[in-house]
Amino acid sequence: DGGITQSPKYLFRKEGQNVTLSCEQNLNHDAMYWYRQDPGQGLRLIYYSQIVNDFQKGDIAEGYSVSREKKESFPLTVTSAQKNPTAFYLCASSNNRASRGYTFGSGTRLTVV
Amino acid sequence: EDKVVQSPLSLVVHEGDTVTLNCSYEVTNFRSLLWYKQEKKAPTFLFMLTSSGIEKKSGRLSSILDKKELSSILNITATQTGDSAIYLCAVNIRDDKIIFGKGTRLHILP
């Protein structure tokens, strides 16, 4: 079945550590996105990528980095520069017209300990 | 600045009630409005609206867009406990970008 797989589902990070969240899709979608969801804040765009080897900053990119070396994969690294990383992270993908909206992964809940 | 505003942010009703969720938007380039339901993890697609005044229906859920008022409503009739979720409204502003509202958290009491 086609879909988006995010891993891990839960992740704990110590202060000062970088962590990488995985996002893989087999929908043959060109565009991929990372969102952060906090209680009462809705979804906020971190980074997005329309094609391989290209990506753009979203509204809250500081403290995050991404890569898009393969069409299927769009990993997100939460760096130590991100001061408040505890949140729920959602990955999504779409065809470039986003005509049916996005398909979402099941999310990764990151907690700083 | 493009924005999508949903109201109420939170709503508690009893099973069997009818609810109306609101979404208004201010964007520079409107392409479509989307509604999603988020129960636990991944938001799932409900409706996409592009034309004013045409109601979309799926079972007990329906939605309509008013481009003149820059708004949309999502109605749920005869609510059930399984309708408890966060309902997200989003606007597609260009090929590669959708902006989301903060969501309405709906809780249905048995």
Side-chain angles (χ1 to χ4, degrees):
Chain A
D1 288 335
I4 298 182
T5 301
Q6 287 187 242
S7 62
K9 291 192 186 310
Y10 299 94
L11 185 59
F12 296 89
R13 190 194 93 168
K14 291 183 180 179
E15 296 275 356
Q17 276 185 338
N18 293 354
V19 291
T20 297
L21 283 58
S22 171
C23 178
E24 304 275 336
Q25 55 100 359
N26 60 4
L27 299 164
N28 200 34
H29 282 168
D30 290 307
M32 296 186 74
Y33 310 82
W34 274 105
Y35 283 89
R36 170 178 172 145
Q37 188 174 29
D38 297 280
Q41 291 292 324
L43 299 181
R44 293 185 290 168
L45 182 63
I46 304 172
Y47 269 97
Y48 65 103
S49 167
Q50 293 176 272
I51 56 172
V52 175
N53 292 322
D54 188 43
F55 47 84
Q56 288 78 40
K57 292 181 179 180
D59 302 315
I60 55 165
E62 185 175 351
Y64 300 97
S65 65
V66 294
S67 63
R68 186 87 186 276
E69 297 176 2
K70 298 185 302 181
K71 187 175 184 177
E72 301 79 20
S73 178
F74 191 40
L76 174 74
T77 296
V78 184
T79 75
S80 57
Q82 171 48 239
K83 297 305 177 190
N84 185 21
T86 295
F88 186 57
Y89 291 87
L90 280 165
C91 179
S93 71
S94 74
N95 57 43
N96 260 334
R97 292 195 213 110
S99 58
R100 295 284 293 177
Y102 297 164
T103 301
F104 284 90
S106 295
T108 293
R109 187 166 298 281
L110 173 63
T111 303
V112 173
V113 296
Chain B
E1 181 186 348
D2 296 318
K3 63 179 180 180
V4 176
V5 178
Q6 291 186 245
S7 65
L9 293 180
S10 181
L11 185 59
V12 180
V13 300
H14 286 93
E15 204 166 22
D17 288 350
T18 293
V19 297
T20 298
L21 310 183
N22 301 287
C23 176
S24 63
Y25 58 90
E26 291 180 28
V27 298
T28 50
N29 181 38
F30 176 90
R31 297 171 69 101
S32 64
L33 186 143
L34 304 111
W35 284 98
Y36 289 86
K37 177 181 181 182
Q38 186 179 20
E39 290 183 81
K40 292 179 181 177
K41 301 287 178 70
T44 54
F45 174 83
L46 292 176
F47 299 112
M48 183 179 74
L49 304 160
T50 55
S51 301
S52 247
I54 299 176
E55 185 181 50
K56 294 280 185 89
K57 289 197 73 169
S58 177
R60 296 175 293 101
L61 277 67
S62 63
S63 183
I64 195 163
L65 175 67
D66 186 337
K67 281 185 169 180
K68 186 176 177 183
E69 296 296 326
L70 306 183
S71 66
S72 173
I73 59 171
L74 175 68
N75 280 320
I76 309 175
T77 60
T79 52
Q80 302 170 358
T81 54
D83 295 325
S84 295
I86 297 172
Y87 290 84
L88 297 166
C89 175
V91 174
N92 183 349
I93 61 172
R94 62 174 196 243
D95 277 351
D96 60 348
K97 190 166 186 182
I98 293 174
I99 54 172
F100 287 83
K102 293 184 177 182
T104 293
R105 184 179 294 272
L106 176 64
H107 185 63
I108 311 296
L109 298 170

